[in-house]
């Protein structure tokens, strides 16, 4: 699966890897890339379903709830 920021996820795999590495998350590092991508898409769905974002959608074709 290839992630597309603002369509499938809020962060790239590289950004998530850097974030996890900076925090010493060894459990993240042990996951395969497809497993990490799945978790990133699940996190995006969670964020979109749980939070009300400030502002408003200005482009009707915007795929995600956040700015």
């Amino acid at each position: 699966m290839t992630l597309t920021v603002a369509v499938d996820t809020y962060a790239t795999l590289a950004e998530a890897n850097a974030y996890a590495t900076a925090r010493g998350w060894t459990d993240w590092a042990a996951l395969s890339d497809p497993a990490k991508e799945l978790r990133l898409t699940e996190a995006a769905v969670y964020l979109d379903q749980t939070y009300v974002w400030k502002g408003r959608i200005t482009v009707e074709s915007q795929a995600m709830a956040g700015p």
Side-chain angles (χ1 to χ4, degrees):
M1 161 191 272
T2 300
L3 295 179
T4 303
V5 173
V7 174
D8 306 306
T9 182
Y10 285 102
T12 66
L13 183 56
E15 290 168 335
N17 285 336
Y19 186 88
T21 298
R23 285 152 182 79
W25 294 352
T26 56
D27 53 338
W28 177 264
L31 295 172
S32 66
D33 284 353
K36 291 175 183 178
E37 290 174 342
L38 175 63
R39 282 161 178 79
L40 286 171
T41 58
E42 289 172 340
V45 169
Y46 173 81
L47 289 170
D48 282 352
Q49 292 178 348
T50 305
Y51 294 96
V52 176
W53 300 95
K54 287 189 173 195
R56 60 187 167 89
I57 293 176
T58 58
V59 178
E60 291 298 321
S61 61
Q62 180 175 324
M64 300 181 76

Short mmCIF file of all heavy atoms in Angstrom, two decimals:
data_model
loop_
_atom_site.label_atom_id
_atom_site.label_comp_id
_atom_site.label_asym_id
_atom_site.label_seq_id
_atom_site.Cartn_x
_atom_site.Cartn_y
_atom_site.Cartn_z
N MET A 1 0.85 -1.17 0.00
CA MET A 1 0.00 0.00 0.00
C MET A 1 0.90 1.24 0.00
O MET A 1 1.87 1.31 0.74
CB MET A 1 -0.87 -0.02 1.25
CG MET A 1 -1.46 1.32 1.60
SD MET A 1 -2.22 1.39 3.24
CE MET A 1 -3.84 0.85 2.86
N THR A 2 0.56 2.16 -0.81
CA THR A 2 1.27 3.43 -0.81
C THR A 2 0.36 4.47 -0.17
O THR A 2 -0.78 4.66 -0.59
CB THR A 2 1.62 3.87 -2.25
OG1 THR A 2 2.45 2.88 -2.83
CG2 THR A 2 2.34 5.20 -2.24
N LEU A 3 0.86 5.10 0.88
CA LEU A 3 0.08 6.11 1.58
C LEU A 3 0.15 7.44 0.85
O LEU A 3 1.18 7.81 0.31
CB LEU A 3 0.63 6.32 2.99
CG LEU A 3 0.51 5.15 3.95
CD1 LEU A 3 1.12 5.54 5.29
CD2 LEU A 3 -0.93 4.74 4.14
N THR A 4 -0.95 8.15 0.86
CA THR A 4 -1.00 9.49 0.32
C THR A 4 -1.45 10.42 1.43
O THR A 4 -2.56 10.28 1.96
CB THR A 4 -1.98 9.58 -0.87
OG1 THR A 4 -1.59 8.63 -1.86
CG2 THR A 4 -2.00 10.98 -1.47
N VAL A 5 -0.57 11.35 1.80
CA VAL A 5 -0.91 12.30 2.85
C VAL A 5 -2.09 13.14 2.38
O VAL A 5 -2.17 13.53 1.22
CB VAL A 5 0.31 13.18 3.20
CG1 VAL A 5 -0.06 14.29 4.17
CG2 VAL A 5 1.42 12.32 3.78
N ALA A 6 -3.01 13.39 3.29
CA ALA A 6 -4.23 14.14 3.07
C ALA A 6 -5.31 13.33 2.35
O ALA A 6 -6.39 13.84 2.07
CB ALA A 6 -3.99 15.46 2.35
N VAL A 7 -5.01 12.08 2.06
CA VAL A 7 -6.01 11.18 1.49
C VAL A 7 -6.18 9.96 2.41
O VAL A 7 -7.29 9.62 2.78
CB VAL A 7 -5.64 10.71 0.08
CG1 VAL A 7 -6.61 9.66 -0.44
CG2 VAL A 7 -5.58 11.90 -0.87
N ASP A 8 -5.06 9.33 2.78
CA ASP A 8 -5.09 8.13 3.62
C ASP A 8 -4.60 8.38 5.05
O ASP A 8 -4.92 7.63 5.95
CB ASP A 8 -4.15 7.05 3.04
CG ASP A 8 -4.45 6.74 1.60
OD1 ASP A 8 -5.60 6.43 1.29
OD2 ASP A 8 -3.51 6.81 0.79
N THR A 9 -3.78 9.40 5.21
CA THR A 9 -3.07 9.59 6.47
C THR A 9 -2.71 11.06 6.66
O THR A 9 -2.74 11.83 5.71
CB THR A 9 -1.79 8.72 6.49
OG1 THR A 9 -1.12 8.87 7.73
CG2 THR A 9 -0.85 9.07 5.37
N TYR A 10 -2.36 11.40 7.89
CA TYR A 10 -1.89 12.75 8.18
C TYR A 10 -0.37 12.84 8.18
O TYR A 10 0.17 13.93 8.30
CB TYR A 10 -2.45 13.23 9.53
CG TYR A 10 -3.91 13.59 9.45
CD1 TYR A 10 -4.88 12.73 9.92
CD2 TYR A 10 -4.31 14.78 8.89
CE1 TYR A 10 -6.23 13.05 9.85
CE2 TYR A 10 -5.66 15.13 8.81
CZ TYR A 10 -6.61 14.25 9.28
OH TYR A 10 -7.93 14.59 9.20
N ALA A 11 0.33 11.72 8.09
CA ALA A 11 1.80 11.71 8.13
C ALA A 11 2.34 10.66 7.18
O ALA A 11 1.70 9.64 6.93
CB ALA A 11 2.28 11.40 9.54
N THR A 12 3.51 10.92 6.66
CA THR A 12 4.17 9.92 5.82
C THR A 12 4.77 8.84 6.70
O THR A 12 4.95 9.02 7.91
CB THR A 12 5.30 10.55 4.99
OG1 THR A 12 6.33 10.99 5.89
CG2 THR A 12 4.81 11.70 4.12
N LEU A 13 5.10 7.73 6.09
CA LEU A 13 5.76 6.65 6.82
C LEU A 13 7.11 7.14 7.36
O LEU A 13 7.47 6.85 8.49
CB LEU A 13 5.94 5.42 5.92
CG LEU A 13 6.56 4.20 6.57
CD1 LEU A 13 5.78 3.76 7.80
CD2 LEU A 13 6.65 3.06 5.57
N ALA A 14 7.82 7.91 6.56
CA ALA A 14 9.12 8.44 7.01
C ALA A 14 8.95 9.36 8.22
O ALA A 14 9.75 9.30 9.17
CB ALA A 14 9.80 9.18 5.87
N GLU A 15 7.92 10.20 8.20
CA GLU A 15 7.67 11.08 9.35
C GLU A 15 7.32 10.27 10.60
O GLU A 15 7.80 10.58 11.69
CB GLU A 15 6.53 12.05 9.03
CG GLU A 15 6.89 13.10 8.01
CD GLU A 15 5.70 13.87 7.48
OE1 GLU A 15 4.56 13.36 7.51
OE2 GLU A 15 5.92 15.01 7.02
N ALA A 16 6.50 9.26 10.44
CA ALA A 16 6.13 8.42 11.57
C ALA A 16 7.33 7.66 12.11
O ALA A 16 7.50 7.53 13.33
CB ALA A 16 5.02 7.44 11.16
N ASN A 17 8.18 7.17 11.22
CA ASN A 17 9.39 6.47 11.65
C ASN A 17 10.31 7.40 12.43
O ASN A 17 10.86 7.02 13.47
CB ASN A 17 10.13 5.87 10.46
CG ASN A 17 9.46 4.63 9.91
OD1 ASN A 17 8.73 3.94 10.60
ND2 ASN A 17 9.71 4.35 8.65
N ALA A 18 10.49 8.62 11.94
CA ALA A 18 11.35 9.58 12.62
C ALA A 18 10.78 9.94 14.00
O ALA A 18 11.52 10.03 14.99
CB ALA A 18 11.52 10.84 11.77
N TYR A 19 9.48 10.13 14.06
CA TYR A 19 8.80 10.45 15.32
C TYR A 19 9.00 9.32 16.33
O TYR A 19 9.36 9.56 17.49
CB TYR A 19 7.32 10.67 15.05
CG TYR A 19 6.51 11.14 16.22
CD1 TYR A 19 6.39 12.50 16.49
CD2 TYR A 19 5.85 10.25 17.05
CE1 TYR A 19 5.63 12.96 17.57
CE2 TYR A 19 5.09 10.69 18.13
CZ TYR A 19 4.99 12.04 18.38
OH TYR A 19 4.23 12.47 19.45
N ALA A 20 8.79 8.09 15.89
CA ALA A 20 8.93 6.93 16.77
C ALA A 20 10.38 6.74 17.21
O ALA A 20 10.65 6.43 18.38
CB ALA A 20 8.42 5.68 16.07
N THR A 21 11.31 6.92 16.30
CA THR A 21 12.72 6.77 16.62
C THR A 21 13.15 7.80 17.66
O THR A 21 13.86 7.47 18.62
CB THR A 21 13.59 6.91 15.35
OG1 THR A 21 13.22 5.86 14.45
CG2 THR A 21 15.07 6.81 15.67
N ALA A 22 12.70 9.03 17.50
CA ALA A 22 13.06 10.09 18.44
C ALA A 22 12.55 9.81 19.84
O ALA A 22 13.10 10.30 20.82
CB ALA A 22 12.52 11.42 17.94
N ARG A 23 11.50 9.01 19.93
CA ARG A 23 10.91 8.70 21.23
C ARG A 23 11.30 7.31 21.74
O ARG A 23 10.84 6.88 22.78
CB ARG A 23 9.39 8.84 21.15
CG ARG A 23 9.01 10.30 21.14
CD ARG A 23 7.72 10.57 20.43
NE ARG A 23 7.45 12.00 20.42
CZ ARG A 23 8.02 12.86 19.58
NH1 ARG A 23 8.89 12.44 18.69
NH2 ARG A 23 7.74 14.14 19.64
N GLY A 24 12.13 6.60 20.98
CA GLY A 24 12.61 5.29 21.40
C GLY A 24 11.57 4.20 21.37
O GLY A 24 11.62 3.26 22.14
N TRP A 25 10.60 4.33 20.47
CA TRP A 25 9.54 3.33 20.38
C TRP A 25 10.03 2.10 19.62
O TRP A 25 9.87 1.99 18.41
CB TRP A 25 8.31 3.91 19.69
CG TRP A 25 7.63 5.02 20.44
CD1 TRP A 25 7.89 5.45 21.69
CD2 TRP A 25 6.57 5.84 19.95
NE1 TRP A 25 7.06 6.49 22.02
CE2 TRP A 25 6.25 6.75 20.98
CE3 TRP A 25 5.88 5.89 18.76
CZ2 TRP A 25 5.25 7.69 20.84
CZ3 TRP A 25 4.89 6.84 18.62
CH2 TRP A 25 4.56 7.72 19.65
N THR A 26 10.59 1.16 20.32
CA THR A 26 11.13 -0.04 19.67
C THR A 26 10.03 -0.95 19.13
O THR A 26 10.27 -1.68 18.17
CB THR A 26 12.02 -0.83 20.65
OG1 THR A 26 11.27 -1.15 21.82
CG2 THR A 26 13.25 -0.02 21.04
N ASP A 27 8.85 -0.90 19.72
CA ASP A 27 7.75 -1.72 19.20
C ASP A 27 7.34 -1.26 17.81
O ASP A 27 6.99 -2.07 16.95
CB ASP A 27 6.55 -1.72 20.15
CG ASP A 27 6.07 -0.33 20.53
OD1 ASP A 27 6.86 0.63 20.44
OD2 ASP A 27 4.90 -0.21 20.95
N TRP A 28 7.39 0.05 17.55
CA TRP A 28 7.10 0.56 16.21
C TRP A 28 8.14 0.10 15.22
O TRP A 28 7.83 -0.34 14.13
CB TRP A 28 7.01 2.09 16.24
CG TRP A 28 6.78 2.71 14.90
CD1 TRP A 28 7.72 3.21 14.05
CD2 TRP A 28 5.52 2.88 14.22
NE1 TRP A 28 7.14 3.69 12.89
CE2 TRP A 28 5.79 3.50 12.98
CE3 TRP A 28 4.22 2.58 14.55
CZ2 TRP A 28 4.78 3.81 12.08
CZ3 TRP A 28 3.21 2.90 13.64
CH2 TRP A 28 3.50 3.50 12.42
N ALA A 29 9.41 0.18 15.61
CA ALA A 29 10.52 -0.19 14.73
C ALA A 29 10.44 -1.66 14.34
O ALA A 29 10.88 -2.04 13.25
CB ALA A 29 11.85 0.11 15.40
N ALA A 30 9.88 -2.48 15.19
CA ALA A 30 9.80 -3.92 14.93
C ALA A 30 8.71 -4.28 13.91
O ALA A 30 8.71 -5.38 13.36
CB ALA A 30 9.54 -4.68 16.23
N LEU A 31 7.79 -3.36 13.64
CA LEU A 31 6.70 -3.63 12.70
C LEU A 31 7.20 -3.57 11.25
O LEU A 31 8.11 -2.81 10.93
CB LEU A 31 5.58 -2.60 12.87
CG LEU A 31 4.83 -2.61 14.19
CD1 LEU A 31 3.90 -1.40 14.26
CD2 LEU A 31 4.07 -3.89 14.37
N SER A 32 6.54 -4.29 10.38
CA SER A 32 6.82 -4.20 8.94
C SER A 32 6.22 -2.90 8.41
O SER A 32 5.32 -2.32 9.03
CB SER A 32 6.21 -5.39 8.20
OG SER A 32 4.79 -5.32 8.26
N ASP A 33 6.71 -2.45 7.27
CA ASP A 33 6.15 -1.22 6.68
C ASP A 33 4.66 -1.33 6.41
O ASP A 33 3.91 -0.39 6.70
CB ASP A 33 6.92 -0.83 5.42
CG ASP A 33 8.27 -0.20 5.72
OD1 ASP A 33 8.57 0.05 6.91
OD2 ASP A 33 9.03 0.04 4.77
N PRO A 34 4.16 -2.46 5.86
CA PRO A 34 2.71 -2.56 5.66
C PRO A 34 1.92 -2.47 6.96
O PRO A 34 0.84 -1.86 7.00
CB PRO A 34 2.52 -3.92 4.99
CG PRO A 34 3.82 -4.17 4.29
CD PRO A 34 4.86 -3.59 5.21
N ALA A 35 2.46 -3.02 8.04
CA ALA A 35 1.78 -2.94 9.33
C ALA A 35 1.77 -1.50 9.85
O ALA A 35 0.79 -1.04 10.41
CB ALA A 35 2.45 -3.86 10.34
N LYS A 36 2.87 -0.79 9.64
CA LYS A 36 2.94 0.62 10.04
C LYS A 36 1.95 1.45 9.23
O LYS A 36 1.25 2.31 9.78
CB LYS A 36 4.35 1.17 9.83
CG LYS A 36 5.39 0.59 10.77
CD LYS A 36 6.77 1.10 10.41
CE LYS A 36 7.85 0.50 11.26
NZ LYS A 36 9.19 0.95 10.87
N GLU A 37 1.87 1.20 7.94
CA GLU A 37 0.94 1.94 7.08
C GLU A 37 -0.50 1.70 7.51
O GLU A 37 -1.31 2.63 7.53
CB GLU A 37 1.15 1.57 5.62
CG GLU A 37 2.47 2.08 5.07
CD GLU A 37 2.77 1.60 3.67
OE1 GLU A 37 2.17 0.60 3.22
OE2 GLU A 37 3.62 2.22 3.02
N LEU A 38 -0.82 0.47 7.87
CA LEU A 38 -2.16 0.16 8.35
C LEU A 38 -2.47 0.96 9.61
O LEU A 38 -3.54 1.55 9.75
CB LEU A 38 -2.30 -1.34 8.62
CG LEU A 38 -3.62 -1.78 9.24
CD1 LEU A 38 -4.78 -1.49 8.30
CD2 LEU A 38 -3.57 -3.26 9.58
N ARG A 39 -1.52 1.01 10.52
CA ARG A 39 -1.73 1.77 11.76
C ARG A 39 -1.88 3.27 11.50
O ARG A 39 -2.65 3.94 12.16
CB ARG A 39 -0.62 1.47 12.75
CG ARG A 39 -0.84 0.12 13.43
CD ARG A 39 0.41 -0.45 14.05
NE ARG A 39 0.15 -1.70 14.72
CZ ARG A 39 0.01 -2.89 14.12
NH1 ARG A 39 0.08 -2.97 12.81
NH2 ARG A 39 -0.19 -3.99 14.81
N LEU A 40 -1.13 3.78 10.54
CA LEU A 40 -1.27 5.20 10.20
C LEU A 40 -2.65 5.51 9.62
O LEU A 40 -3.26 6.54 9.95
CB LEU A 40 -0.18 5.63 9.22
CG LEU A 40 1.22 5.76 9.82
CD1 LEU A 40 2.25 5.98 8.71
CD2 LEU A 40 1.28 6.89 10.83
N THR A 41 -3.16 4.63 8.77
CA THR A 41 -4.50 4.85 8.22
C THR A 41 -5.57 4.70 9.30
O THR A 41 -6.54 5.46 9.33
CB THR A 41 -4.81 3.92 7.03
OG1 THR A 41 -4.69 2.57 7.44
CG2 THR A 41 -3.88 4.19 5.87
N GLU A 42 -5.38 3.74 10.20
CA GLU A 42 -6.32 3.57 11.31
C GLU A 42 -6.30 4.80 12.22
O GLU A 42 -7.35 5.24 12.71
CB GLU A 42 -5.99 2.32 12.12
CG GLU A 42 -6.29 1.03 11.38
CD GLU A 42 -5.78 -0.20 12.09
OE1 GLU A 42 -4.87 -0.09 12.95
OE2 GLU A 42 -6.29 -1.30 11.79
N ALA A 43 -5.14 5.36 12.46
CA ALA A 43 -5.02 6.56 13.28
C ALA A 43 -5.74 7.74 12.62
O ALA A 43 -6.41 8.52 13.30
CB ALA A 43 -3.55 6.90 13.53
N ALA A 44 -5.62 7.86 11.31
CA ALA A 44 -6.29 8.94 10.60
C ALA A 44 -7.80 8.80 10.71
O ALA A 44 -8.51 9.79 10.93
CB ALA A 44 -5.86 8.97 9.13
N VAL A 45 -8.31 7.60 10.57
CA VAL A 45 -9.75 7.37 10.70
C VAL A 45 -10.19 7.72 12.12
O VAL A 45 -11.21 8.38 12.31
CB VAL A 45 -10.10 5.90 10.35
CG1 VAL A 45 -11.53 5.57 10.76
CG2 VAL A 45 -9.88 5.64 8.88
N TYR A 46 -9.41 7.30 13.10
CA TYR A 46 -9.73 7.62 14.50
C TYR A 46 -9.80 9.13 14.71
O TYR A 46 -10.75 9.64 15.31
CB TYR A 46 -8.70 6.99 15.44
CG TYR A 46 -8.88 7.42 16.87
CD1 TYR A 46 -9.83 6.80 17.68
CD2 TYR A 46 -8.13 8.45 17.41
CE1 TYR A 46 -10.01 7.21 19.00
CE2 TYR A 46 -8.30 8.86 18.73
CZ TYR A 46 -9.25 8.23 19.51
OH TYR A 46 -9.43 8.63 20.80
N LEU A 47 -8.80 9.84 14.23
CA LEU A 47 -8.78 11.30 14.39
C LEU A 47 -9.99 11.94 13.71
O LEU A 47 -10.64 12.82 14.28
CB LEU A 47 -7.49 11.88 13.82
CG LEU A 47 -6.23 11.60 14.62
CD1 LEU A 47 -5.00 12.01 13.81
CD2 LEU A 47 -6.27 12.30 15.96
N ASP A 48 -10.30 11.50 12.50
CA ASP A 48 -11.42 12.08 11.76
C ASP A 48 -12.76 11.80 12.42
O ASP A 48 -13.68 12.61 12.35
CB ASP A 48 -11.43 11.59 10.32
CG ASP A 48 -10.40 12.29 9.45
OD1 ASP A 48 -9.77 13.27 9.92
OD2 ASP A 48 -10.22 11.87 8.30
N GLN A 49 -12.89 10.64 13.07
CA GLN A 49 -14.16 10.28 13.69
C GLN A 49 -14.30 10.79 15.12
O GLN A 49 -15.41 10.85 15.63
CB GLN A 49 -14.33 8.76 13.68
CG GLN A 49 -14.52 8.20 12.30
CD GLN A 49 -14.64 6.68 12.29
OE1 GLN A 49 -14.37 6.01 13.28
NE2 GLN A 49 -15.03 6.13 11.16
N THR A 50 -13.20 11.16 15.73
CA THR A 50 -13.22 11.52 17.15
C THR A 50 -13.19 13.02 17.40
O THR A 50 -13.82 13.50 18.34
CB THR A 50 -12.03 10.86 17.87
OG1 THR A 50 -12.07 9.45 17.63
CG2 THR A 50 -12.06 11.12 19.35
N TYR A 51 -12.50 13.75 16.58
CA TYR A 51 -12.28 15.17 16.84
C TYR A 51 -13.05 16.06 15.86
O TYR A 51 -13.24 15.70 14.71
CB TYR A 51 -10.79 15.51 16.78
CG TYR A 51 -10.02 14.84 17.89
CD1 TYR A 51 -9.37 13.63 17.67
CD2 TYR A 51 -9.98 15.40 19.15
CE1 TYR A 51 -8.69 13.00 18.70
CE2 TYR A 51 -9.30 14.78 20.18
CZ TYR A 51 -8.66 13.58 19.95
OH TYR A 51 -7.99 12.95 20.96
N VAL A 52 -13.43 17.22 16.36
CA VAL A 52 -14.02 18.24 15.52
C VAL A 52 -12.91 19.25 15.27
O VAL A 52 -12.41 19.88 16.21
CB VAL A 52 -15.23 18.92 16.20
CG1 VAL A 52 -15.77 20.04 15.34
CG2 VAL A 52 -16.30 17.89 16.50
N TRP A 53 -12.52 19.40 14.03
CA TRP A 53 -11.42 20.28 13.67
C TRP A 53 -11.89 21.72 13.62
O TRP A 53 -12.99 22.01 13.19
CB TRP A 53 -10.84 19.87 12.32
CG TRP A 53 -10.33 18.48 12.29
CD1 TRP A 53 -11.00 17.36 11.87
CD2 TRP A 53 -9.05 18.01 12.72
NE1 TRP A 53 -10.22 16.25 11.99
CE2 TRP A 53 -9.01 16.62 12.52
CE3 TRP A 53 -7.92 18.63 13.24
CZ2 TRP A 53 -7.89 15.84 12.82
CZ3 TRP A 53 -6.81 17.86 13.55
CH2 TRP A 53 -6.81 16.48 13.34
N LYS A 54 -11.02 22.62 14.04
CA LYS A 54 -11.32 24.04 13.91
C LYS A 54 -11.15 24.43 12.45
O LYS A 54 -10.34 23.86 11.73
CB LYS A 54 -10.38 24.88 14.77
CG LYS A 54 -10.67 24.80 16.23
CD LYS A 54 -9.86 25.80 16.99
CE LYS A 54 -10.31 25.80 18.44
NZ LYS A 54 -9.82 26.97 19.15
N GLY A 55 -11.90 25.41 12.04
CA GLY A 55 -11.85 25.84 10.65
C GLY A 55 -12.91 25.14 9.84
O GLY A 55 -13.83 24.52 10.38
N ARG A 56 -12.77 25.22 8.55
CA ARG A 56 -13.76 24.60 7.67
C ARG A 56 -13.09 24.11 6.40
O ARG A 56 -12.03 24.59 6.01
CB ARG A 56 -14.88 25.55 7.35
CG ARG A 56 -14.43 26.81 6.64
CD ARG A 56 -15.60 27.80 6.51
NE ARG A 56 -15.12 29.09 6.11
CZ ARG A 56 -14.96 29.47 4.84
NH1 ARG A 56 -15.27 28.65 3.86
NH2 ARG A 56 -14.52 30.68 4.55
N ILE A 57 -13.72 23.15 5.78
CA ILE A 57 -13.22 22.63 4.52
C ILE A 57 -13.44 23.69 3.45
O ILE A 57 -14.54 24.23 3.31
CB ILE A 57 -13.93 21.32 4.16
CG1 ILE A 57 -13.55 20.24 5.17
CG2 ILE A 57 -13.60 20.89 2.74
CD1 ILE A 57 -14.27 18.93 4.98
N THR A 58 -12.41 24.01 2.72
CA THR A 58 -12.52 25.02 1.66
C THR A 58 -12.49 24.39 0.27
O THR A 58 -12.82 25.04 -0.70
CB THR A 58 -11.39 26.06 1.77
OG1 THR A 58 -10.14 25.39 1.68
CG2 THR A 58 -11.49 26.83 3.07
N VAL A 59 -12.12 23.13 0.21
CA VAL A 59 -12.08 22.41 -1.06
C VAL A 59 -13.02 21.20 -0.91
O VAL A 59 -12.77 20.33 -0.08
CB VAL A 59 -10.64 21.93 -1.41
CG1 VAL A 59 -10.64 21.15 -2.70
CG2 VAL A 59 -9.69 23.11 -1.48
N GLU A 60 -14.09 21.18 -1.65
CA GLU A 60 -15.10 20.13 -1.51
C GLU A 60 -14.54 18.73 -1.71
O GLU A 60 -15.04 17.77 -1.15
CB GLU A 60 -16.26 20.37 -2.49
CG GLU A 60 -17.09 21.57 -2.12
CD GLU A 60 -17.77 21.44 -0.76
OE1 GLU A 60 -18.24 20.35 -0.40
OE2 GLU A 60 -17.81 22.47 -0.05
N SER A 61 -13.49 18.59 -2.49
CA SER A 61 -12.92 17.26 -2.75
C SER A 61 -11.96 16.80 -1.67
O SER A 61 -11.38 15.72 -1.77
CB SER A 61 -12.20 17.27 -4.10
OG SER A 61 -11.13 18.20 -4.08
N GLN A 62 -11.79 17.60 -0.61
CA GLN A 62 -10.88 17.23 0.47
C GLN A 62 -11.31 15.90 1.06
O GLN A 62 -12.46 15.72 1.45
CB GLN A 62 -10.90 18.32 1.55
CG GLN A 62 -10.00 18.04 2.71
CD GLN A 62 -9.97 19.21 3.69
OE1 GLN A 62 -10.02 20.36 3.28
NE2 GLN A 62 -9.88 18.91 4.96
N ALA A 63 -10.38 14.96 1.14
CA ALA A 63 -10.71 13.61 1.57
C ALA A 63 -10.78 13.44 3.09
O ALA A 63 -11.51 12.58 3.58
CB ALA A 63 -9.67 12.64 1.01
N MET A 64 -10.04 14.23 3.82
CA MET A 64 -9.97 14.05 5.27
C MET A 64 -10.62 15.23 5.98
O MET A 64 -10.79 16.31 5.42
CB MET A 64 -8.51 13.88 5.68
CG MET A 64 -7.88 12.66 5.00
SD MET A 64 -6.18 12.37 5.46
CE MET A 64 -6.44 11.67 7.09
N ALA A 65 -10.96 15.01 7.24
CA ALA A 65 -11.68 16.03 8.00
C ALA A 65 -10.79 17.18 8.45
O ALA A 65 -11.24 18.30 8.57
CB ALA A 65 -12.34 15.40 9.23
N GLY A 66 -9.54 16.88 8.71
CA GLY A 66 -8.62 17.91 9.23
C GLY A 66 -8.06 18.80 8.15
O GLY A 66 -8.13 18.49 6.96
N PRO A 67 -7.52 19.90 8.58
CA PRO A 67 -6.97 20.87 7.64
C PRO A 67 -5.74 20.37 6.91
O PRO A 67 -5.10 19.47 7.32
CB PRO A 67 -6.64 22.06 8.52
CG PRO A 67 -6.52 21.51 9.91
CD PRO A 67 -7.36 20.29 9.93
#
